[in-house]
Amino acid sequence: MLDRPRVPDCRWISVVFLQGTEADAVLGLIDRSGASAAFDYLQPRDLGEATTDAALENGYVYDRIPAGRTDHIIEHDGSPYALTYSRTYRYVSLLRWHPLESELKPTRPAPRRVDIWAAPRSTRLAERTVTL
């Protein structure tokens, strides 16, 4: 298995995951024309920031390329993409290597001190206390 060196601020994100009949079409393309043709077919489905946001929101972010024993893993030379597929389980997945700076974006701004609707800090802390 080819895997890039572990970089603390980068992860693999899922670009597209196909299974069943949809995957069969791509598996056939791999058989006929090779993995490069599958990369060319799947890469236009990467919508950049929208794909990244969806992967982060849905938890499709991985420290390593996710793969099982029956999977084939191919990294596209000179690009941030990797392809995994399994004929046994009939699926194809395209992943992209991505720096996680976007993961650090706050989902909503923290309440400002002048915000009259924000409870005082001492009240908010009490709500988070759990007694076992």
Side-chain angles (χ1 to χ4, degrees):
M1 172 170 98
L2 295 175
D3 213 358
R4 296 178 196 250
R6 182 73 188 99
V7 179
D9 59 349
C10 291
R11 302 277 192 288
W12 289 100
I13 63 165
S14 179
V15 173
V16 63
F17 180 86
L18 304 174
Q19 58 188 0
T21 306
E22 288 182 312
D24 289 342
V26 179
L27 292 169
L29 182 62
I30 292 168
D31 291 341
R32 287 186 310 277
S33 305
S36 289
F39 277 105
D40 293 343
Y41 177 77
L42 294 172
Q43 282 178 358
R45 296 181 184 209
D46 186 352
L47 303 176
E49 192 68 30
T51 298
T52 301
D53 290 345
L56 294 173
E57 183 177 320
N58 295 308
Y60 299 126
V61 181
Y62 311 96
D63 290 337
R64 303 178 124 317
I65 297 172
R69 291 185 301 197
T70 66
D71 292 352
H72 298 274
I73 302 167
I74 301 170
E75 292 188 51
H76 200 253
D77 228 10
S79 85
Y81 294 99
L83 181 72
T84 63
Y85 63 94
S86 170
R87 286 184 179 83
T88 305
Y89 294 106
R90 296 177 56 209
Y91 79 82
V92 176
S93 175
L94 182 69
L95 300 122
R96 179 172 28 97
W97 188 241
H98 180 74
L100 285 185
E101 62 208 29
S102 61
E103 213 176 68
L104 302 176
K105 287 191 293 192
T107 55
R108 63 182 174 141
R112 298 186 337 228
R113 287 190 169 265
V114 295
D115 187 350
I116 61 170
W117 298 106
R121 183 169 171 73
S122 59
T123 304
R124 287 193 317 259
L125 287 176
E127 293 171 3
R128 293 182 191 152
T129 304
V130 176
T131 306
L132 300 176

